Amino acid sequence: MEKIDRKPFQGVVNIIRFNWHFYAIAALLLVLLGYFSEYPLLRAAGWLLVGSVLLSLTASWYIYDRSALYSLHWLDDLITSPGKQLLNVHAGFDETSYLLSQKYPGSKLTVFDFYDPVKHTEVSIERARRVYAAYPGTQTITTANIPVMTASADMILVFMAAHEIRDEAERIIFFRELRRSLQDQGRIVVVEHLRDIRNFMVYNLGFFHFFSRSTWQRTFLAANLDMASEIKITPFLSAFLLEKNGMAS
């Protein structure tokens, strides 16, 4: 398979492209604040807005363009071997399947897309789907049904996708289905931003789109999964290693 290389600034450009409405609103607010710039408080608000936007874009550039995120080297700290059956489950925007196929050429990679425009209403995903073609053979599924045999997967990756399942009950059902699909000694890797002080500092109110560590722990526990470990890919991004309850070595 042809090697896939990310372009410079691809991450931050995608963020602007897929979330342009936020930046349009920010620009409009900046124009309005500039119109009333003779008032010190409004002038300060304008500078605060500019600083907030620049900070979030700089952090995103670091995370998605400068860090080792898309090298997938951090997976080596969690998984010694992916095994023969590898699942990649995403929410409509897939940046990792080609990378996984390159990293683990000896594994059979199956890709699932659980995006449902009725339940998962993030407009940025709709825009991303129009720009990027799906990985060949990607299967559309629901969060309640992963069409694989029970205990068949050696490794499952859910890369910055599970937070799109906003309903807690649906999220628990999804993780129970992941557990059903997993072999007894298999591993699930979940990558997510967290609703914490670090992400608040760089994404401001946008951090409410993420879930807290305690929320994820509650979800994993309800799905009968143990969090074997957690690593920081960047200070703003966590990777959780999950095992079936009682299978930790």
Side-chain angles (χ1 to χ4, degrees), residues 12 17 22 32 44 59 68 84-85 96 99 119 123 129 139 168 175 178-179 195 200 206 216 224 230 235 243:
V12 74
R17 179 193 296 181
F22 288 127
L32 291 175
K84 295 181 179 180
Q85 301 292 331
T96 53
L99 301 176
K119 293 181 178 179
V123 66
R129 289 166 67 86
Q139 301 178 47
E168 183 174 25
F175 275 93
L178 293 179
R179 185 189 187 281
R195 188 183 296 178
F200 173 71
W216 286 118
N224 205 21
E230 176 190 355
E243 301 171 328

Side-chain angles (χ1 to χ4, degrees), residues 9-17 57-58 60-61 64-65:
F9 301 100
Q10 179 174 328
V12 74
V13 167
N14 279 343
I15 287 173
I16 296 172
R17 179 193 296 181
L57 289 176
T58 300
S60 296
W61 170 75
Y64 301 116
D65 293 309

Side-chain angles (χ1 to χ4, degrees), residues 9-240:
F9 301 100
Q10 179 174 328
V12 74
V13 167
N14 279 343
I15 287 173
I16 296 172
R17 179 193 296 181
F18 302 149
N19 299 278
W20 59 262
H21 55 291
F22 288 127
Y23 299 99
I25 292 171
L28 179 60
L29 287 174
L30 193 59
V31 169
L32 291 175
L33 291 171
Y35 184 79
F36 297 103
S37 60
E38 67 270 19
Y39 299 100
L41 185 61
L42 294 181
R43 186 164 59 248
W47 283 112
L48 184 63
L49 177 61
V50 170
S52 178
V53 171
L54 290 178
L55 181 59
S56 69
L57 289 176
T58 300
S60 296
W61 170 75
Y62 161 67
I63 296 166
Y64 301 116
D65 293 309
R66 293 296 298 170
S67 78
L69 176 61
Y70 291 104
S71 73
L72 301 188
H73 293 328
W74 47 270
L75 273 173
D76 300 331
D77 297 328
L78 297 170
I79 302 283
T80 303
S81 171
K84 295 181 179 180
Q85 301 292 331
L86 171 59
L87 306 185
N88 190 22
V89 186
H90 64 82
F93 182 39
D94 178 11
E95 293 187 289
T96 53
S97 289
Y98 282 105
L99 301 176
L100 286 169
S101 68
Q102 293 167 3
K103 184 173 179 63
Y104 302 123
S107 299
K108 178 184 177 182
L109 174 63
T110 305
V111 183
F112 293 119
D113 175 5
F114 67 75
Y115 175 70
D116 182 338
V118 176
K119 293 181 178 179
H120 316 130
T121 56
E122 186 68 21
V123 66
S124 60
I125 296 178
E126 281 286 353
R127 292 169 182 162
R129 289 166 67 86
R130 289 195 292 266
V131 173
Y132 288 95
Y135 183 81
T138 296
Q139 301 178 47
T140 301
I141 64 171
T142 69
T143 51
N145 181 30
I146 298 176
V148 298
M149 293 180 61
T150 296
S152 61
D154 296 287
M155 172 183 162
I156 302 174
L157 177 65
V158 188
F159 184 86
M160 290 190 284
H163 70 276
E164 300 295 349
I165 308 172
R166 307 309 294 177
D167 180 75
E168 183 174 25
E170 182 191 0
R171 197 163 57 248
I172 291 171
I173 290 171
F174 172 68
F175 275 93
R176 286 176 177 169
E177 185 64 0
L178 293 179
R179 185 189 187 281
R180 181 198 64 78
S181 305
L182 195 67
Q183 291 190 13
D184 286 347
Q185 301 303 322
R187 302 290 188 271
I188 301 172
V189 178
V190 179
V191 179
E192 288 289 345
H193 287 278
L194 296 181
R195 188 183 296 178
D196 58 16
I197 186 63
R198 291 174 178 174
N199 281 288
F200 173 71
M201 289 176 64
V202 296
Y203 291 116
N204 204 279
L205 297 180
F207 94 134
F208 282 111
H209 188 58
F210 313 136
F211 294 122
S212 66
R213 180 179 286 102
S214 62
T215 296
W216 286 118
Q217 289 173 327
R218 185 171 66 246
T219 297
F220 302 152
L221 181 63
N224 205 21
L225 290 164
D226 288 330
M227 187 193 302
S229 64
E230 176 190 355
I231 64 169
K232 283 292 186 183
I233 304 173
T234 77
F236 311 101
L237 204 57
S238 292
F240 300 110

